[in-house]
Amino acid sequence: MSALITQLTGRTAEDFARTKLFGPLGITDYSWPRDPLGQSYGGWGLSLKPRDMAKIGYLYLRHGRWGEQQLLPPQWIETVSHATVNMNVPGDRDLRYANQFWALPDKHVFMTSGYHCQVIMVLPDVDIVAVTTGRDSCPLGKLADAISGAVRSDTALPASPEAAASLAAAIRPEKQ
Protein backbone atom coordinates (compact mmCIF):
# COMPACT_ATOMS: atom_id res chain seq x y z
CA MET A 1 0.00 0.00 0.00
CA SER A 2 2.76 2.46 0.93
CA ALA A 3 4.68 1.76 -2.26
CA LEU A 4 1.51 2.42 -4.27
CA ILE A 5 0.94 5.74 -2.47
CA THR A 6 4.55 6.71 -3.12
CA GLN A 7 4.25 5.79 -6.80
CA LEU A 8 1.01 7.76 -7.23
CA THR A 9 1.96 10.84 -5.19
CA GLY A 10 5.73 11.02 -5.43
CA ARG A 11 5.90 11.13 -1.61
CA THR A 12 6.23 8.46 1.05
CA ALA A 13 3.00 7.33 2.67
CA GLU A 14 4.13 9.06 5.87
CA ASP A 15 4.75 12.37 4.09
CA PHE A 16 1.43 12.10 2.28
CA ALA A 17 -0.42 11.25 5.51
CA ARG A 18 1.32 14.08 7.38
CA THR A 19 0.05 16.60 4.83
CA LYS A 20 -3.39 15.23 3.99
CA LEU A 21 -4.48 13.53 7.22
CA PHE A 22 -2.28 13.95 10.28
CA GLY A 23 -1.75 17.70 9.80
CA PRO A 24 -5.44 18.60 9.50
CA LEU A 25 -6.27 16.31 12.46
CA GLY A 26 -3.52 17.84 14.61
CA ILE A 27 -1.64 14.54 14.90
CA THR A 28 2.04 15.28 15.47
CA ASP A 29 3.30 12.62 17.89
CA TYR A 30 3.50 9.29 16.07
CA SER A 31 6.00 6.68 14.95
CA TRP A 32 5.98 5.04 11.53
CA PRO A 33 8.97 2.81 10.72
CA ARG A 34 10.43 2.61 7.23
CA ASP A 35 11.93 -0.24 5.29
CA PRO A 36 15.58 -0.18 4.12
CA LEU A 37 14.52 1.69 0.96
CA GLY A 38 12.84 4.45 2.99
CA GLN A 39 9.25 3.32 2.36
CA SER A 40 6.82 3.71 5.25
CA TYR A 41 5.56 0.25 6.15
CA GLY A 42 2.09 -0.15 4.66
CA GLY A 43 0.54 -2.99 6.60
CA TRP A 44 1.78 -2.43 10.12
CA GLY A 45 4.01 -0.37 12.39
CA LEU A 46 2.18 2.96 12.70
CA SER A 47 2.00 3.93 16.38
CA LEU A 48 -0.47 6.59 17.51
CA LYS A 49 -1.70 7.83 20.86
CA PRO A 50 -5.25 6.70 21.71
CA ARG A 51 -6.52 10.30 21.45
CA ASP A 52 -5.16 10.51 17.89
CA MET A 53 -6.63 7.11 17.06
CA ALA A 54 -9.98 8.49 18.22
CA LYS A 55 -9.58 11.49 15.91
CA ILE A 56 -9.25 9.13 12.95
CA GLY A 57 -12.31 7.20 14.11
CA TYR A 58 -14.27 10.43 14.49
CA LEU A 59 -13.27 11.42 10.95
CA TYR A 60 -14.76 8.15 9.71
CA LEU A 61 -17.85 8.51 11.91
CA ARG A 62 -18.44 11.92 10.29
CA HIS A 63 -18.13 10.53 6.73
CA GLY A 64 -14.66 11.97 6.11
CA ARG A 65 -15.37 15.49 7.43
CA TRP A 66 -13.19 17.21 10.01
CA GLY A 67 -14.71 20.52 10.95
CA GLU A 68 -15.37 22.28 7.66
CA GLN A 69 -12.89 20.16 5.68
CA GLN A 70 -13.75 17.04 3.68
CA LEU A 71 -10.53 15.06 4.21
CA LEU A 72 -11.74 11.73 2.84
CA PRO A 73 -14.27 11.05 0.10
CA PRO A 74 -17.64 9.90 1.50
CA GLN A 75 -17.63 7.00 -0.98
CA TRP A 76 -14.41 5.71 0.64
CA ILE A 77 -16.14 5.67 4.03
CA GLU A 78 -19.14 3.93 2.46
CA THR A 79 -16.90 1.22 0.97
CA VAL A 80 -15.02 0.43 4.18
CA SER A 81 -18.10 0.62 6.38
CA HIS A 82 -19.82 -2.00 4.21
CA ALA A 83 -16.87 -4.33 3.64
CA THR A 84 -17.85 -7.42 1.67
CA VAL A 85 -14.92 -9.88 1.63
CA ASN A 86 -15.77 -12.64 4.12
CA MET A 87 -12.62 -13.54 6.05
CA ASN A 88 -14.03 -16.69 7.77
CA VAL A 89 -12.20 -15.86 10.99
CA PRO A 90 -12.83 -18.36 13.80
CA GLY A 91 -14.70 -16.58 16.59
CA ASP A 92 -15.77 -13.76 14.25
CA ARG A 93 -17.48 -15.65 11.42
CA ASP A 94 -19.20 -12.51 10.10
CA LEU A 95 -16.01 -10.45 9.88
CA ARG A 96 -15.63 -8.73 6.49
CA TYR A 97 -12.71 -6.84 4.96
CA ALA A 98 -12.21 -3.95 2.51
CA ASN A 99 -9.38 -1.47 1.96
CA GLN A 100 -7.52 -1.88 5.27
CA PHE A 101 -10.77 -1.90 7.29
CA TRP A 102 -12.76 -4.64 8.93
CA ALA A 103 -16.53 -4.69 9.34
CA LEU A 104 -19.15 -6.66 11.22
CA PRO A 105 -22.18 -5.87 9.04
CA ASP A 106 -24.70 -7.61 11.31
CA LYS A 107 -23.53 -5.38 14.18
CA HIS A 108 -23.28 -2.19 12.04
CA VAL A 109 -19.65 -1.71 13.08
CA PHE A 110 -16.45 -1.08 11.12
CA MET A 111 -12.89 -0.70 12.36
CA THR A 112 -9.19 -0.77 11.89
CA SER A 113 -7.47 -3.50 13.81
CA GLY A 114 -3.80 -3.62 14.62
CA TYR A 115 -1.43 -5.85 16.52
CA HIS A 116 -2.88 -7.35 19.70
CA CYS A 117 -6.24 -5.58 19.74
CA GLN A 118 -5.12 -2.07 18.84
CA VAL A 119 -8.52 -1.06 17.47
CA ILE A 120 -10.34 2.03 16.22
CA MET A 121 -13.99 0.95 16.20
CA VAL A 122 -16.74 3.05 14.63
CA LEU A 123 -20.33 2.34 15.71
CA PRO A 124 -22.48 4.68 13.58
CA ASP A 125 -25.83 3.48 14.96
CA VAL A 126 -24.94 4.71 18.45
CA ASP A 127 -22.72 7.61 17.25
CA ILE A 128 -19.66 6.20 19.06
CA VAL A 129 -15.97 5.83 18.35
CA ALA A 130 -14.13 3.44 20.65
CA VAL A 131 -10.38 2.96 20.84
CA THR A 132 -8.64 0.03 22.47
CA THR A 133 -5.00 -0.71 23.08
CA GLY A 134 -3.92 -4.02 24.48
CA ARG A 135 -1.44 -6.82 24.64
CA ASP A 136 -3.59 -9.75 23.59
CA SER A 137 -5.77 -10.51 20.63
CA CYS A 138 -9.50 -10.09 21.12
CA PRO A 139 -12.64 -11.33 19.38
CA LEU A 140 -13.83 -8.21 17.59
CA GLY A 141 -17.48 -9.25 17.61
CA LYS A 142 -17.48 -9.63 21.40
CA LEU A 143 -15.72 -6.29 21.74
CA ALA A 144 -18.35 -4.60 19.53
CA ASP A 145 -21.14 -6.17 21.59
CA ALA A 146 -19.57 -5.04 24.87
CA ILE A 147 -19.14 -1.47 23.67
CA SER A 148 -22.57 -1.09 22.07
CA GLY A 149 -24.21 -2.78 25.06
CA ALA A 150 -22.54 -0.38 27.46
CA VAL A 151 -23.93 2.72 25.74
CA ARG A 152 -27.56 1.70 25.38
CA SER A 153 -30.26 3.05 27.61
CA ASP A 154 -34.03 2.87 27.70
CA THR A 155 -34.22 6.61 28.29
CA ALA A 156 -32.32 9.59 27.00
CA LEU A 157 -29.98 11.47 29.29
CA PRO A 158 -31.21 14.89 30.32
CA ALA A 159 -29.89 17.76 28.21
CA SER A 160 -26.69 19.29 29.54
CA PRO A 161 -25.56 22.35 27.58
CA GLU A 162 -22.45 22.63 29.76
CA ALA A 163 -21.39 19.04 29.06
CA ALA A 164 -22.14 19.42 25.34
CA ALA A 165 -20.04 22.59 25.17
CA SER A 166 -17.20 20.91 27.06
CA LEU A 167 -17.24 17.92 24.70
CA ALA A 168 -17.39 20.15 21.63
CA ALA A 169 -14.39 22.15 22.88
CA ALA A 170 -12.42 18.97 23.60
CA ILE A 171 -12.88 17.49 20.12
CA ARG A 172 -12.91 20.74 18.10
CA PRO A 173 -10.42 20.57 15.24
CA GLU A 174 -7.38 22.68 15.94
CA LYS A 175 -6.91 25.70 13.69
CA GLN A 176 -3.76 25.52 11.61
Side-chain angles (χ1 to χ4, degrees):
M1 176 75 71
S2 285
L4 182 60
I5 291 171
T6 299
Q7 183 179 9
L8 292 173
T9 67
R11 301 185 290 180
T12 66
E14 179 182 357
D15 291 339
F16 183 77
R18 185 182 311 112
T19 302
K20 300 291 187 179
L21 183 66
F22 297 164
L25 296 178
I27 298 173
T28 58
D29 189 11
Y30 62 89
S31 172
W32 197 345
R34 295 173 182 241
D35 70 16
L37 298 176
Q39 285 289 346
S40 313
Y41 287 121
W44 62 274
L46 175 62
S47 297
L48 297 167
K49 291 183 175 184
R51 179 180 181 92
D52 293 333
M53 293 167 65
K55 289 177 181 180
I56 292 171
Y58 190 77
L59 175 69
Y60 276 77
L61 182 66
R62 295 293 174 246
H63 311 285
R65 291 196 67 77
W66 186 257
E68 298 300 316
Q69 293 181 290
Q70 187 72 45
L71 299 181
L72 298 172
Q75 59 271 30
W76 172 265
I77 310 300
E78 184 68 20
T79 297
V80 301
S81 68
H82 294 94
T84 58
V85 178
N86 188 339
M87 299 307 291
N88 294 314
V89 174
D92 279 317
R93 302 300 278 161
D94 295 324
L95 191 63
R96 305 288 192 263
Y97 180 80
N99 302 347
Q100 307 295 316
F101 271 76
W102 301 89
L104 293 162
D106 61 321
K107 299 179 187 305
H108 305 279
V109 172
F110 65 101
M111 70 207 87
T112 63
S113 181
Y115 184 67
H116 283 241
C117 206
Q118 313 295 316
V119 176
I120 302 170
M121 187 173 286
V122 181
L123 299 96
D125 289 357
V126 290
D127 200 34
I128 295 281
V129 170
V131 171
T132 64
T133 60
R135 287 190 253 167
D136 295 316
S137 52
C138 59
L140 297 170
K142 287 183 181 180
L143 181 61
D145 288 342
I147 292 167
S148 63
V151 298
R152 294 185 193 247
S153 174
D154 292 335
T155 60
L157 292 173
S160 174
E162 299 84 16
S166 177
L167 176 62
I171 63 172
R172 181 175 298 119
E174 298 168 14
K175 299 282 185 193
Q176 298 297 327

